Amino acid sequence: MNDFRIPLGSWADTFIDFITDTFGFFFDFVRAIFSGAYDLVDLILATPPFWVIILVAAALALMIRGWKFAVGTVVGLVVIVGVDQWENAMDSLALVLVASVLAILFSVPLGILSAKSGVASSIIRPILDFMQTMPAFVYLIPALILFRVGVVPGIVATIIFAMAPGVRLTELGIRSVDSEVVEAGQAFGASPWRILRQIQLPLAMPTIMAGINQVIMLSLSMVVIAGMVGAGGLGQQVVASLNRIDVSLGFEAGLSVVILAIFLDRLTAALGNGNTPISRVLAARKRRAHPVHAPAAAVAVEPTVAPAVTPTQAAEREPSQV
């Protein structure tokens, strides 16, 4: 009985070697795309002075959530500058943004496919269970082999780890749309694409946005793990503090991660609710541009009553019969 062993690890190793030798050019191409996207976003965030980024973030917070959140955003980002973690925070934010966008681009279509097809849902669901339950460190091993040390393995591992809630909540949102509303659209002759675009997606948007929020939060939770494979940023600082048992560095880097997480969480949650200051301002302008005058409308649609006609007048109007 002690000699019985299933060589799953050897099979996995052989499979990775086969993938590396056969599709190495494809993984080099993906690595170039992911690395270029990260460098571009990091250049946008890290090149301007810190106060420019703070003002832009505060403006977004003001338009989407209100002045209290804008003040809190300024205070939190100033704290990151004060603990000398600004460049690392922008590196981590660039990684999170790139990984989150890619995870959303993958997860939302897969969620729609799962909602539309029971066969696809039965296939995708166990894969998502595997992705969520497998320890995130395990993703780094094949990612390092396929993409080499750097930021790209961290992005790939983050995408795999974070996209599951996006798929699940997108499927849930589409399936939760009232079937009578969909049937009404079908009765009016709308195509399936139009029903999806104009009925199902708008009604499912709060649930989909909740999934996007979870994708971003899980991406931030992978920052530290990505730092172990050379991704840099705040994750590398946390790993360095762990290796040196440096409490002060670990606290400062960890606090910076928390500030970024709160900012992104509150921002996406407000977008999911749809009741933002900018949306209220636009709605007020629309009401002022197109006012509704109830008395005038009532007069316009009031039916005209014909004058009464006496029997004698009616007889005079009738044509004479020969």
Side-chain angles (χ1 to χ4, degrees):
M1 187 63 182
N2 293 332
D3 296 335
F4 176 76
R5 190 178 188 279
I6 301 176
L8 289 178
S10 300
W11 295 345
D13 190 19
T14 303
F15 178 73
I16 293 296
D17 291 338
F18 170 76
I19 292 295
T20 304
D21 296 336
T22 307
F23 302 102
F25 65 95
F26 172 74
F27 293 109
D28 290 339
F29 176 71
V30 172
R31 183 177 187 274
I33 292 177
F34 286 7
S35 178
Y38 170 79
D39 291 339
L40 177 62
V41 176
D42 189 51
L43 181 67
I44 294 173
L45 294 175
T47 301
F50 69 89
W51 55 267
V52 174
I53 303 298
I54 292 176
L55 289 178
V56 172
L60 285 174
L62 180 64
M63 290 188 296
I64 294 176
R65 198 172 178 91
W67 67 270
K68 293 181 180 179
F69 183 54
V71 173
T73 299
V74 172
V75 172
L77 295 180
V78 168
V79 169
I80 295 178
V81 176
V83 296
D84 198 22
Q85 293 292 336
W86 180 256
E87 293 184 3
N88 294 322
M90 293 302 101
D91 293 343
S92 297
L93 183 59
L95 186 148
V96 168
L97 292 178
V98 172
S100 299
V101 169
L102 292 172
I104 291 166
L105 290 178
F106 294 144
S107 61
V108 172
L110 286 176
I112 295 173
L113 177 63
S114 300
K116 295 291 185 180
S117 172
V119 176
S121 179
S122 62
I123 295 173
I124 294 174
R125 191 171 300 168
I127 298 176
L128 296 179
D129 294 337
F130 177 83
M131 291 166 57
Q132 283 189 299
T133 54
M134 178 66 71
F137 288 97
V138 179
Y139 299 144
L140 296 178
I141 301 172
L144 279 172
I145 297 174
L146 297 174
F147 300 104
R148 301 191 292 275
V149 175
V151 70
V152 177
I155 293 176
V156 173
T158 302
I159 293 172
I160 296 173
F161 181 74
M163 65 182 293
V167 178
R168 293 186 187 277
L169 288 175
T170 300
E171 179 183 359
L172 176 62
I174 298 294
R175 290 184 181 274
S176 300
V177 175
D178 192 352
S179 60
E180 294 182 356
V181 180
V182 177
E183 292 172 359
Q186 294 171 346
F188 281 100
S191 63
W193 166 247
R194 189 171 183 181
I195 291 174
L196 174 65
R197 183 169 54 89
Q198 297 184 350
I199 296 177
Q200 291 177 315
L201 285 179
L203 293 177
M205 190 54 63
T207 306
I208 295 174
M209 287 302 300
I212 292 175
N213 177 272
Q214 291 301 307
V215 168
I216 295 175
M217 291 300 100
L218 289 177
S219 298
L220 269 169
S221 69
M222 287 289 291
V223 166
V224 177
I225 298 176
M228 296 182 177
V229 293
L234 295 173
Q236 189 176 37
Q237 297 297 304
V238 173
V239 173
S241 67
L242 181 63
N243 293 332
R244 302 200 301 259
I245 315 181
D246 190 341
V247 177
S248 62
L249 178 61
F251 180 78
E252 292 172 353
L255 180 62
S256 301
V257 173
V258 171
I259 292 171
L260 292 180
I262 293 174
F263 171 71
L264 294 175
D265 176 61
R266 300 297 188 270
L267 206 65
T268 53
L271 289 174
N273 294 333
N275 186 20
T276 62
I278 187 65
S279 64
R280 293 194 293 269
V281 170
L282 294 176
R285 287 184 177 180
K286 186 176 180 180
R287 286 194 299 268
R288 287 195 298 267
H290 303 283
V292 178
H293 302 289
V299 171
V301 300
E302 183 178 359
T304 303
V305 180
V309 180
T310 63
T312 304
Q313 293 172 338
E316 292 176 353
R317 294 178 182 178
E318 291 181 356
S320 59
Q321 298 180 359
V322 180

